[in-house]
Amino acid sequence: MGKLFLVPTPIGNLDDMTFRAVKVLKEVDTILAEDTRNSGKLLKHFDIGTHMQSHHMHNEHKTVDHIVERIKSGENIALISDAGTPAISDPGFLLTRACVEAGIEVDCLPGATAFVPALVNSGFPNDKFIFEGFLPVKKGRQTRLNLLAEETRTMIFYESPHKLLKTLKHFSEYFGEDRPVSVSREITKLHEETIRGTAAEVLQHYTKKTPKGEIVIVVKGKS
C-alpha cells in the first residue's frame, strides 16, 4: 500500500519551502495540485519533475475514490495547494478523510500556514484561539457573527481584499467599534504589513488605503 503526503507550499516567500517538502515531492509518484499552472512554476523553481494532476474543489468529489484505489495499489501521492497547508481553507479534507477511512497512512508535513504568523503577530492571547476561515458570504453570516460576538477566545479569519471593508464594518457592528483587531496582509511577501487597532480604527485605515493581497484578520475575544 502506498501513502498520502500533505505538503505545505510557500504562501509568498519561496525560501519558506522546506528541504523535506522538496524531497517528498521529488520522490512521490504523482503530485495532486490545486492549480497545475501555478504549481508548475514552484516545481520548476525547485527542479521537481514529478508528474502533476489537477485536484481542486470542483473535481475532488469525483476523483477521491479513484485516488484512494491508486494509493491502495502502491502509489505514493502528494497533495499540494496553491499556497500554504492543504485542507486549511483549501482542498484536502475529503481525500484525507477517505484515506484515513481506508486505512491508508497520511503524513502531513509541517510548513507554511498564513494564520500562525498573523496570530502571533497580533499580540493577542494565543494560548486559546479559534480558526474561522472565511465567513459565510450571505446565508448564515449574521447567525455566525451573533454567535462569535460572545466568543472569549482570539478569533482568526481569512478574507479577500474586496470584502475586507464589509467584514470590518460587520465586526464593528456585531463585536463593537472598540474591539481590538489586527489585519495582516501579504504575509512573507515584499509588501507585508500588520495594522492593529480597534475595529473602527482599522476600518478607517483601509477606507483610506485600498487593501490588496492575501489577508488574515485576527480579532481579540470578548473580555
Side-chain angles (χ1 to χ4, degrees), residues 45-220:
H45 181 82
F46 290 103
D47 195 27
I48 300 169
T50 308
H51 170 70
M52 265 196 303
Q53 178 182 326
S54 180
H55 182 83
H56 47 73
M57 62 181 293
H58 301 296
N59 72 359
E60 59 179 339
H61 288 84
K62 300 176 182 177
T63 60
V64 162
D65 291 341
H66 178 59
I67 294 169
V68 167
E69 289 304 315
R70 286 167 56 186
I71 299 175
K72 287 172 70 175
S73 69
E75 191 172 347
N76 288 314
I77 292 180
L79 174 65
I80 60 176
S81 61
D82 285 346
T85 301
I88 302 296
S89 291
D90 276 323
F93 163 69
L94 291 178
L95 180 57
T96 301
R97 180 178 64 181
C99 286
V100 170
E101 291 174 349
I104 293 170
E105 185 177 356
V106 178
D107 191 351
C108 182
L109 278 62
T113 304
F115 76 78
V116 174
L119 169 64
V120 176
N121 237 343
S122 70
F124 301 154
N126 53 39
D127 54 333
K128 296 179 181 179
F129 60 89
I130 59 169
F131 174 68
E132 285 291 314
F134 289 94
L135 282 167
V137 178
K138 293 181 181 179
K139 187 178 181 181
R141 187 180 182 93
Q142 182 177 351
T143 302
R144 193 70 201 150
L145 286 167
N146 276 322
L147 287 172
L148 292 173
E150 300 303 314
E151 177 59 62
T152 57
R153 293 168 293 181
T154 299
M155 297 172 280
I156 305 166
F157 304 87
Y158 283 168
E159 192 52 278
S160 59
H162 66 279
K163 293 179 182 175
L164 178 61
L165 292 181
K166 174 184 177 182
T167 297
L168 289 173
K169 287 177 183 177
H170 283 162
F171 286 170
S172 290
E173 179 182 345
Y174 288 88
F175 303 161
E177 293 186 343
D178 293 331
R179 181 70 70 93
V181 170
S182 174
V183 174
S184 290
R185 188 179 67 83
E186 293 288 79
I187 295 172
T188 79
K189 299 178 184 177
L190 180 63
H191 300 292
E192 177 178 358
E193 69 172 6
T194 295
I195 302 299
R196 307 173 186 85
T198 64
E201 289 169 345
V202 177
L203 173 59
Q204 184 179 29
H205 172 83
Y206 282 111
T207 300
K208 296 177 181 178
K209 180 181 179 181
T210 303
K212 296 179 182 179
E214 302 295 325
I215 292 169
V216 183
I217 311 172
V218 184
V219 181
K220 191 175 182 182

Side-chain angles (χ1 to χ4, degrees), residues 20-37:
R20 184 182 172 200
V22 173
K23 183 174 184 290
V24 167
L25 293 181
K26 285 185 175 182
E27 293 179 348
V28 294
D29 299 296
T30 302
I31 297 172
L32 302 177
E34 187 178 2
D35 185 332
T36 54
R37 291 170 299 180

